[in-house]
Every structure is written in C-alpha cells, then in structure tokens.
Amino acid sequence: MRYNSLLYFTQYLLAISFNTMESGALAISPAEYSATVSDSTTQKPPAVTAATVDPVCTWDGAQVFDDTTWTPVASYAYNNYTGPVVGPNLIDQDIMLMVNGLTVEEKVGQMTQIQVGQIIDCNGKLNTTAVEYWIDTMKVGSFLETPANHGGKYNWYSAKRFAEITDAVQAIALRRGSRIPVIWGLDSVRGANYIKGGTIFPAGIATAATFNPQHAYDAGRVAAKDTRAAGVHWAFAPIMDLSVNKLWSRVYENFGEDPFLSSLMAKSSIGGHQGDYKRDRSRVAACLKHFIGYGYPFDGSDRANRHIATHDLLEYYVPPFKAAIDAGSATAMESYGAVNSESVVLSKYYLQTLLREQLKFKGMLVTDWAEINTQATMYHTAKDVKQATQTALQRTSIDMSMVADDESFIKVTVELVKSGAVSERRLDESVARILQLKKDLGLFESPYADPQLASTVGSAQDIEAARNTVRESITLLKNTNGVLPLKLSERVLFLGPTLNSTRYMGGGWNVHWQGPSDKEGDAVYQGFGDTVLQGIQAVTGAAPQYLLGIDIGGTGTIDVDKITSAAQSADKIVIGLGENTYAEEQGNIDSLALPWQQLNLVYTVAAATKKPVVVVLIEGRPRGLANVPKIADAIVNAYLPGAYGGLPIAEVLYGKVNPSGRLPITYPATEAQASSTIWQASYSAYNPQWEFGYGLGYSNVTYSNVTLSSSSLTVGSPITASVTITNKGPYPQKEPVLLFTRQQYRLGYAPEHYRLRDFIKVDLAVGETKTVVLNLKAEDLAFWDRDLLRRIEPAPVNVVINPHVHKGLVAVVQLDADPDHVLERAPWS
C-alpha cells in the first residue's frame, strides 16, 4: 500500500516519547498527530470560499439546477483488479498508537456520523461555523448524505460542487478538533445516483434479472469512481436484503428473493465498489446492508416486525451477507426495526454472535439512520436514549452511530464512559476499526477529491455499461403469436405515463432518495438520461405517435374517442404502465394492484380498438395486474431501468435486442401470494402469475440430454449436470441456464419447492448448439435445523433445468450422507 512514510515514521518517533496508557500501550497525542497529518499529506488543502459566519438568510428555499458543465471523456482506463480478496483485517500498530492518543471525547466523536444538513446554512451553502462546531467542539469524524436532500441550494450536485463542500470540510478537519480526516458516506446504490450526471444504473432487482453478475460489478465500479470524484469515500451499498414480501416499498433495491442469486450479485457488487481499495483511489469502501432480515416485514410496511425463525434466517437470509463478507466488504450497516420482536441494533445475537463470531466480519459496523435514538422514541425498546446507547455499546459491536441530527450520542456516550458504565476499551475497539478504514482508504495521504475523476462522470463508456445491464435485464413475460418484436414497417400507437418519463424509469435512489419530485419532473436530469419515446425515435428514425392516456396516479378519465381515433391507423398499440417515484405515502401500499385507471386503460383500449396490445411494465416491485395478463398480447417487464433505460427498452420492442432477463422474484397473481417465494415449502401450492426464473426470448431455444456425472451425491465429491441447448432462431440469444434442486423428501423438515444451485448465461448464435455444464455439491443441500445445526438428510433429489421456462428437464441423484454428520454449528448467543 502507498502509505506516506514520513507520516508513519514520525508517528513512531512520537509514540516512544509519550506516557503509556491503558494496558501499557504507547500513545500518540492528537496534537502531535495532527502536526504530522497536516505536514505530510500528499494533497494540498483547497481554498475555502464558504462563509465563515452564519449569514443573513436571503434564500427562499427553492432549489435550483447546478449549472456546472463539463464534457465527459468518452472512455477511460481503470484497474480491473483480479487478485486475492482485499478486505478488512487486523488493526495496524500505528492505528492502535493513534487510538491510545485520543481523549474519550475524541474517540466518541470518531464514532459519530452527522448528516450534511447540520452544516448547511439557511441560504443553502456550507456553513463553516457549523463545521467547526461539529469537528472542533464535538470532535465528529464522519458526515453523510448530499446537500440536495438536506437544504442545499442545488437539487443535484455535480462532482465539482460536491467536492467543494467535502474538501472544505476536510480542510477544517485537518486543522481543528482531533485533526483526523473525516470519512463521508453516501448512498451510491445504483451508480453515484446523488452526483449530477453520474450514470444511474438499473435498480438491484433489474440487475439481478440479468442473471449476469458482471453487471453488478460494473455498477459498483462506476459508482465508486463517481462517488470518489465528489470527495466521498464510502458507499452505503450494495443492498442485499431478500425481497420476500412484495408489498414492501424497498423490493426494488435488492437482488431479488433467492439466496444464491443474491449471494453472487452481492459478491460481484462488492468487487466492483472496492476492487483493490487499499491502493486504488478510484474505489470506495462498500457497505453490506441491511443486516438482517429486513426484507420480510410481516404486513409489507417498511420497518414492520419480521417473524423469522433463527434457522430460517441462517438458511435463507444470511447467505448473501456471508458472501459479501467473504468478498471483503469493508463495512456493514445494521437493519432498521426488529426480528422476532428483538431490536436488531440492541441485539447481542445479531450484531455480535452472528455477525462477528459466526460470519467472521472484521470491518466497521454502522447503524442505520438514528436507529439507536429511535429505540426510545419509536420502537419502545428502551426507556430513553441513554439506556438505548448503553445497551447498544455493551451488547453489540456497533462502531459508528449514524445519529444524523444531534449531539445525543456524543454526550451520552462520554457520560457513560466517564461514569464507568461503559469501558473505554469498548470505544478503543470501534475507533480502531474506524481509523483503520480511513487509513485503508488513503485518507491520511489523500483526503481531498481527485479532480481528474470528475471528467469521467457521465462518460459514454459508463452509459453504455448501464444500457447493457438494461438490455440483459428486460424480461419478456408474454408474447402471443409473435406480436413482438415490432417491425419498422408497422404503425404503432404509444400510450401511458411511463413511456415519456425519465424519473419513472428511475424510482428511488435516483437524484433523491425517493426520486425527483413532481415539481422537478424530468428537467432535473438536465439531459443526463432519456425516455422510452426518445429511444423509439432513435431506433425507428421517426417521432412516435404518442398519447398520455392516463396519468401515473390513475386520476382523471380516459378519452376513449381520442384514443380510438388515433388507433384507427395503428397496427399495434404499446401501453406503458408502472409506479410513480416513491414519496413516503406511496412507498407503503396496502394492495399490490396498480391504480385502477392504469389497468382500465388496457381494458378500454383492447376492447375499443381490437388491435394487438403490448404492455410495458416499469415498476420497482411486482404490482397486481388483474386481467391484464389475459387481455394483453405481449407483456414486457423493464423493472426500474434507470435514467438511460429508454433506448434499451425500444431496442427490445423492435428486436434490435433479444430479451434475456429472467424474473429474480416470484410475481404474485393474488394479494395472498405477496410473500410467496421459490423456496417455500414444496407442499404449499406455488402458482403465481409468473414464477421465479421465468422469462422468454424471441428465439426458439430447445433443451435436451440432461445428464449427471454421477448417480450419487456425497460430501466432498461434487458432480456436474450437463444439458444440450440449441438456438433454432431466428435471433441470436443470450440464454440463462438455471439449475434447481428439489429434494423428494427430507426427514422432519419440509423440503423447498425449488432451490437455485447454479446458473450461467451463454451466448447462442442462430443454429448454434452448446453443451452447458453446471455444478452441484452435496453441501449445497445441507440445511439449518431448529437446533442450529447445518446437516444433510439423505434422499433422492430432482435436479431440474429451467423448470418454469422449458417445463423442466429432470434428472435424479441420490443424496448420500450421514444425517448425524454436522457440517456447521451456530452459536445460540
């Protein structure tokens, strides 16, 4: 690693001269340490131009567009790291010396994260007086979020403008307070979605639909680069909750409902965000979140209690997090709310026993927004903030409190330590992890933004990477009589609110947390995006015939006469349906159904025109479609494709791209199926609208000759499953090949309907035949029982290829194992 030798040699010389502290450790005082930092960083501090005193308020609060302009480079080189996993490890000696040199107040400050709105003045600009208060007086070591969400002047900050703020804060941090660089965190969830012009990739659910983990890597890598361009070093991503209850407002963020698919996507995303992050200064620290069980709120509302047996938690919900930890995730974020009524943020089992001891996570753990304080103010799991803070520190391994808005954590924690209720050693453990993270990210040598990275924000190279993800994610759900693809010679009428909107393609984590407001509309993108209609014009060379039909909320009435008149000359009709961006009241829903008037637009148009109808869904979760699947001739699910989704959708509609996405979730047919999953008990009926893994293409791909390399499956002896696939045309096809297992019986424990065990996506030219080989291990079929033992029950196992697309090609293998042989034991507490 490229550490500054002068800095650390100076630390060593200083250390040997100071008095020893607890346990006889050497220490470096903050004052002496600060001198080495300010003298030896490889970057020079920027000029601070923000006001240094609280200004007179003259701003009316109406945000404006950031007028920063730049010409993004068309392409750029980057380090595609392929070496050993780089992740958190042991704490370096110089970091321990640094920890021992801090006062209690300084240690607690390092453990505190404050949202940027606390340092934005009433005119929407950086208030350096406030910065100095938080850093000098309160010793805060971390900030988060974008000013755009918290009173900033601009509604979408360019990397340059954002860096002016982060650099100014960093300059103050290096000369005031503890004189330690701050670490800034940002929800760069799908690209650097909070940075103006940063390429917004498809949502997690769409990325998972590609069944190609490379796309998760690409999104993470671009997110890291653009985030770092703004002087931010830490991305709160990837999000890897299992999306079980489809009512949940955050289904779109995650990689679907399947543990294996989510695990591979999470691993790849961590690699993209971090790479060789201890050397590569275009990468950031990733953050696995939300640990744990967040995606199964019992009634679908955000933060609702999750009823998940511990052995089910280990079997289904933990694997993606384990994959992220094994991939080297530098940080983790605990989950909102409670599992089995036990508050996660106060749980020794979840945040110490499970996360640290069983899963061996060595990185830095942060709370979600104000989650310690809300134990007293919202969940009623603590008497007051003091009790919540003390419990969190004593029971868990939380390192940083995203307290966000006030000094409560700082004041309470200092009081707890000085009274002896919490040991200073407990602080040292967390502060060491925090400072080690700062060192690993190079903040002691390069604390400021790299202006050269700003020229790559919005690069054509990045936009094409995002569009390639969309191209492979779009899922064809129905195509009666080959209605799709459309022909250039056909006259097509386009209807519906989602076809002429960039922001509806984005959903959440899209300029703002819940997307642009109605007032901002598409104008906020300032050209960094497209629409489906613009994509259609690019593909066809002509402006499409378009009518709104009905607004996104389904209000107003449908002008049947106007639509019928326009449809008279049309050969086919394409209708775009979907969700609005999630305002707070729209995020939580009581019904999966889309607004009735959106659905009625399909019914009305089909009945009045008698023309073939194609429905394009742009939605963050599977919404109820009532009779639309019966009435529509073709249905395409584009999920939330992001700001550049318009062209790929048009390419799929017109056959320039052959759809190859597969559903990463179960698409319910009824409200009662909201929590149905591919891995539910096999004796429970599984008859959704569309199954997990379902999806069609425009080509006729046939499967045959499924063979296993062995008729028995034993621990330590993996086998392969081979299948022959042929593309009979008429288009080239990217074909996801999915291997599932279904155990015929399992003593004492109901086997799942299906479990995904392996998959690969292959390219097939027209007329090409390939033999695809997939892998299966006996260990894959081990399961966690109620005694928290991971073991195998012998039985015949059906090995099934693409059961919901090609009716399933089945081979049977005998799972041979000693049922008393325990592969793994989980600690109870």
Side-chain angles (χ1 to χ4, degrees), residues 255-275:
F255 297 127
E257 71 183 32
D258 181 77
F260 182 74
L261 175 61
S262 296
S263 295
L264 266 61
M265 290 292 173
K267 175 183 177 181
S268 192
S269 180
I270 295 291
H273 281 94
Q274 290 191 176

Side-chain angles (χ1 to χ4, degrees), residues 515-794:
S517 66
D518 289 342
K519 181 179 180 181
E520 290 170 324
D522 280 1
V524 72
Y525 295 97
Q526 300 177 67
F528 292 103
D530 62 14
T531 66
V532 177
L533 293 185
Q534 289 172 341
I536 290 164
Q537 182 161 354
V539 169
T540 64
Q545 183 183 15
Y546 172 74
L547 296 174
L548 176 63
I550 196 71
D551 62 50
I552 194 72
T555 61
T557 58
I558 300 170
D559 191 333
V560 180
D561 291 339
K562 186 176 183 179
I563 292 173
T564 303
S565 175
Q568 286 180 352
S569 60
D571 299 306
K572 296 174 182 176
I573 300 170
V574 175
I575 304 176
L577 307 180
E579 294 186 291
N580 198 347
T581 51
Y582 295 170
E584 189 64 32
E585 67 276 11
Q586 295 167 324
N588 286 330
I589 55 176
D590 297 323
S591 170
L592 287 173
L594 278 174
W596 166 248
Q597 281 289 63
Q598 281 200 46
L599 302 178
N600 193 35
L601 179 63
V602 178
Y603 306 152
T604 301
V605 168
T609 67
K610 310 300 182 185
K611 301 291 178 70
V613 172
V614 176
V615 170
V616 177
L617 301 173
I618 295 178
E619 56 186 12
R621 55 193 154 188
R623 299 302 297 264
L625 301 176
N627 288 323
V628 167
K630 296 179 180 178
I631 294 172
D633 297 277
I635 300 177
V636 173
N637 192 352
Y639 309 95
L640 292 177
Y644 291 100
L647 178 60
I649 292 173
E651 290 172 337
V652 168
L653 290 176
Y654 278 92
K656 303 297 182 182
V657 171
N658 193 347
S660 63
R662 299 290 184 265
L663 286 174
I665 50 171
T666 297
Y667 203 115
T670 67
E671 300 284 346
Q673 295 174 350
S675 294
S676 290
T677 65
I678 188 67
W679 42 265
Q680 68 189 37
S682 60
Y683 68 82
S684 180
Y686 182 73
N687 54 355
Q689 188 69 60
W690 294 289
E691 302 90 344
F692 173 92
Y694 183 80
L696 307 172
Y698 293 149
S699 285
N700 177 19
V701 178
T702 62
Y703 283 60
S704 62
N705 302 327
V706 177
T707 58
L708 303 179
S709 62
S710 175
S711 60
S712 65
L713 186 58
T714 59
V715 173
S717 299
I719 67 171
T720 60
S722 302
V723 61
T724 300
I725 57 176
T726 300
N727 180 9
K728 296 185 176 181
Y731 301 94
Q733 181 75 54
K734 291 182 181 292
E735 181 71 5
V737 184
L738 282 53
L739 183 151
F740 295 84
T741 61
R742 178 168 179 160
Q743 196 160 336
Q744 293 183 9
Y745 59 86
R746 191 166 63 187
L747 184 62
Y749 291 83
E752 298 95 343
H753 180 69
Y754 282 116
R755 286 295 297 271
L756 180 66
R757 304 301 186 185
D758 199 8
F759 65 83
I760 189 171
K761 198 166 193 176
V762 297
D763 289 300
L764 289 171
V766 175
E768 185 177 10
T769 296
K770 285 186 177 180
T771 298
V772 176
V773 179
L774 299 162
N775 300 300
L776 182 64
K777 303 189 300 290
E779 292 85 344
D780 295 337
L781 285 95
F783 69 100
W784 289 97
D785 67 16
R786 71 183 309 275
D787 296 318
L788 302 192
L789 304 177
R790 187 167 176 262
R791 58 188 182 81
I792 297 173
E793 281 289 345

Side-chain angles (χ1 to χ4, degrees), residues 277-339:
Y277 74 101
K278 296 182 183 181
R279 295 178 184 272
D280 186 346
R281 300 308 175 217
S282 68
R283 303 299 179 111
V284 296
C287 183
L288 57 90
K289 68 177 189 181
H290 308 84
F291 193 83
I292 182 86
Y294 190 31
Y296 191 19
F298 81 98
D299 64 355
S301 62
D302 193 37
R303 303 197 194 194
N305 190 23
R306 287 91 75 184
H307 304 291
I308 308 171
T310 301
H311 59 289
D312 282 343
L313 193 81
L314 294 173
E315 180 68 26
Y316 305 112
Y317 298 84
V318 165
F321 292 93
K322 183 179 187 306
I325 291 169
D326 292 346
S329 183
T331 74
M333 183 184 295
E334 59 80 35
S335 171
Y336 283 126
V339 177

Side-chain angles (χ1 to χ4, degrees), residues 428-445:
D428 293 348
E429 173 188 328
S430 288
V431 175
R433 284 195 282 256
I434 292 166
L435 296 182
Q436 184 66 53
L437 176 64
K438 292 183 178 185
K439 176 181 175 180
D440 290 344
L441 289 166
L443 297 188
F444 295 127
E445 61 178 55

